[in-house]
Amino acid sequence: MITRVGCNWDIENQKWYRRKSNKYALKSLNNSSDICSDFLNEIKSHLQIHLVDIVQCFGITQDPNNKEYMMVIEYCNDGNLRNYLNKSENYINYKSKIDKLQQIARGLLDIHNAEKIHKDFHSGNILFSYYPYISDLGMCQPANIKQTVKEEGIYGVLPYMAPEVLRGQQYTKAADIYSFGIIMNEFLSEEIPFNDIPHNEFLAIKICKGFRPTISKDIPKLLADLIIKCWDAEIKNRPTTKELYQLLKKWNVEIKNIKDGKDGENSENGDNSEIYFQIKECDKISKEKFKNRLNEDKSKSFKTHPQAIYTSRLLNFKNLPKPVNSSDLSSFQFSSDTAQSTSANPISECLDVQLSELELNEICQDGEDNIE
């Protein structure tokens, strides 16, 4: 629901003057007529955070008819990350994507520096209004849930949840980093994670055993390596939010500082920039794929499994195995049919860990033995 917020109070007519240039959205909080104090306190704490890369929440109001509470937030006209990608009629190059990923990482760093954790970090909570903004900070749980009930499960979107969280451990900043890795891969590959399989306990088991979304062969190696670090099963191996932001910023500055001619030719520093070389090569391939995809039916390209659920819900899995990395991660290789160069080849192989039904049954049988 879209509304317009008043800027000044008209005492004589007892109404607000309306700003006509700005739009705001009302986000309904389901089951909030009996809103609990825990959730209200959560909202209050986040209202105190005013950050550049976070969708601002101006307060809460109440529907006079059904008594449901609603959050008054900024309206982002380009929708979420998936809407942004689907609506784009022009090819989004890697330079632009790195720039936007840096902004998202900056927003996450600001959240963590404020000693907050997002807890529900997925592409549906990345909104675009030319620039990307993070939304729904800490709002994934139902508004009427009591603190004691939270112990019955966890709320979130399964493909974006860190394996340790799936096993019932506390949300941490490192869990947000894992989610960033999934979002980063989705943004770069423009593929929805695990869209063709059910989001059930079998998927949770596979994630704990190292199963991850496919990394497209068109993604530059440096970016692919960062994705893998973010979604490492070992928390200590994931980059900190500061390290993540600084690396993306370094690449972004490096690319922008290259004074290039047409398509990067005749640049002063291009030959010395590994990230510049990689995105230049990968853009050639990805741009051709984009042209071909424009001629396809997008509804078929992004058709999802009926049991693939991308909204936050209660998840409660028992006896999940201890998180490990897939052995395939260590054999990460690169395509041999791309342009030769003095540096490592930038085109990454598809990474897709598969588990058979037989293996899944074996995992289920010995699940309790693997619990810490």
Side-chain angles (χ1 to χ4, degrees), residues 136-202:
D136 283 14
L137 176 55
M139 298 300 166
C140 65
Q141 69 270 22
N144 64 344
I145 195 170
K146 305 299 181 184
Q147 191 69 37
T148 54
V149 181
K150 292 181 183 178
E151 298 175 2
E152 295 181 0
I154 49 174
Y155 278 84
V157 181
L158 180 53
Y160 301 85
M161 298 175 71
E164 71 273 9
V165 174
L166 292 174
R167 297 183 79 231
Q169 295 181 24
Q170 289 290 324
Y171 281 96
T172 63
K173 294 177 181 179
D176 279 348
I177 293 296
Y178 177 95
S179 301
F180 183 94
I182 303 294
I183 293 169
M184 181 177 176
N185 185 56
E186 179 177 359
F187 190 23
L188 295 177
S189 68
E190 301 191 13
E191 297 290 340
I192 307 172
F194 305 137
N195 70 304
D196 56 348
I197 57 177
H199 295 177
N200 54 20
E201 186 172 5
F202 279 129

Side-chain angles (χ1 to χ4, degrees), residues 18 22 30 47 54 79 89 93 100 102 141 143 156 185 194 199 211 225 241 262 266 301 305 316 325 339-341 367:
R18 299 289 177 178
N22 297 336
N30 296 329
L47 283 174
I54 310 299
E89 296 181 356
N93 60 33
K100 288 176 170 58
Q102 177 204 324
Q141 69 270 22
N185 185 56
F194 305 137
H199 295 177
F211 186 51
D225 288 344
T241 322
K262 184 178 179 181
N266 302 320
S301 301
H305 192 281
N316 190 359
N325 288 318
Q340 297 295 319
S341 72

Side-chain angles (χ1 to χ4, degrees), residues 28-34 61-70 143:
S28 180
L29 304 174
N30 296 329
N31 303 316
S32 62
S33 57
D34 58 341
T61 186
Q62 191 176 35
D63 189 321
N65 297 318
N66 57 22
K67 304 302 180 183
E68 297 280 10
Y69 285 89
M70 295 178 288

Side-chain angles (χ1 to χ4, degrees), residues 96-349:
S96 176
K97 288 183 176 180
I98 290 174
D99 181 54
K100 288 176 170 58
L101 284 169
Q102 177 204 324
Q103 294 172 50
I104 297 171
R106 183 176 62 194
L108 188 60
L109 178 59
D110 286 340
I111 292 171
H112 289 175
N113 283 342
E115 295 306 318
K116 301 292 182 183
I117 303 170
H118 193 286
K119 302 180 184 178
D120 194 26
F121 202 36
H122 57 82
S123 61
N125 283 335
I126 305 295
L127 304 183
F128 280 79
S129 187
Y130 185 75
Y131 297 107
Y133 298 91
I134 299 174
S135 70
D136 283 14
L137 176 55
M139 298 300 166
C140 65
Q141 69 270 22
N144 64 344
I145 195 170
K146 305 299 181 184
Q147 191 69 37
T148 54
V149 181
K150 292 181 183 178
E151 298 175 2
E152 295 181 0
I154 49 174
Y155 278 84
V157 181
L158 180 53
Y160 301 85
M161 298 175 71
E164 71 273 9
V165 174
L166 292 174
R167 297 183 79 231
Q169 295 181 24
Q170 289 290 324
Y171 281 96
T172 63
K173 294 177 181 179
D176 279 348
I177 293 296
Y178 177 95
S179 301
F180 183 94
I182 303 294
I183 293 169
M184 181 177 176
N185 185 56
E186 179 177 359
F187 190 23
L188 295 177
S189 68
E190 301 191 13
E191 297 290 340
I192 307 172
F194 305 137
N195 70 304
D196 56 348
I197 57 177
H199 295 177
N200 54 20
E201 186 172 5
F202 279 129
L203 176 57
I205 292 171
K206 292 169 72 175
I207 289 173
C208 288
K209 297 294 289 184
F211 186 51
R212 300 291 185 268
T214 299
I215 294 182
S216 171
K217 63 182 179 181
D218 307 324
I219 292 180
K221 180 183 183 300
L222 286 174
L223 297 177
D225 288 344
L226 180 57
I227 291 170
I228 293 173
K229 289 180 181 178
C230 286
W231 67 30
D232 197 292
E234 289 285 345
I235 293 176
K236 63 182 180 181
N237 292 337
R238 298 172 199 165
T240 64
T241 322
K242 183 177 181 181
E243 290 170 343
L244 175 68
Y245 169 67
Q246 287 181 336
L247 182 57
L248 288 168
K249 181 181 179 181
K250 173 181 175 293
W251 289 339
N252 198 25
V253 170
E254 189 175 330
I255 294 168
K256 287 182 176 180
N257 283 345
I258 293 176
K259 299 177 181 179
D260 57 340
K262 184 178 179 181
D263 296 328
E265 295 175 1
N266 302 320
S267 65
E268 292 181 2
N269 306 314
D271 294 337
N272 298 322
S273 170
E274 183 62 23
I275 186 63
Y276 178 80
F277 168 77
Q278 290 189 13
I279 66 171
K280 179 181 176 182
E281 294 300 310
C282 291
D283 269 330
K284 293 178 183 178
I285 299 172
S286 297
K287 195 170 186 177
E288 283 302 313
K289 289 181 65 176
F290 177 80
K291 290 179 181 178
N292 295 332
R293 199 160 59 229
L294 284 179
N295 300 322
E296 299 176 358
D297 185 351
K298 276 196 172 184
S299 62
K300 292 181 180 179
S301 301
F302 295 105
K303 190 173 182 179
T304 60
H305 192 281
Q307 295 179 42
I309 303 170
Y310 293 94
T311 55
S312 297
R313 57 187 174 127
L314 178 65
L315 301 171
N316 190 359
F317 303 122
K318 302 295 185 182
N319 300 328
L320 293 181
K322 181 179 178 181
V324 296
N325 288 318
S326 167
S327 58
D328 286 6
L329 290 174
S330 61
S331 59
F332 192 74
Q333 297 178 349
F334 306 99
S335 174
S336 59
D337 58 356
T338 55
Q340 297 295 319
S341 72
T342 56
S343 59
N345 197 300
I347 313 299
S348 63
E349 283 288 344

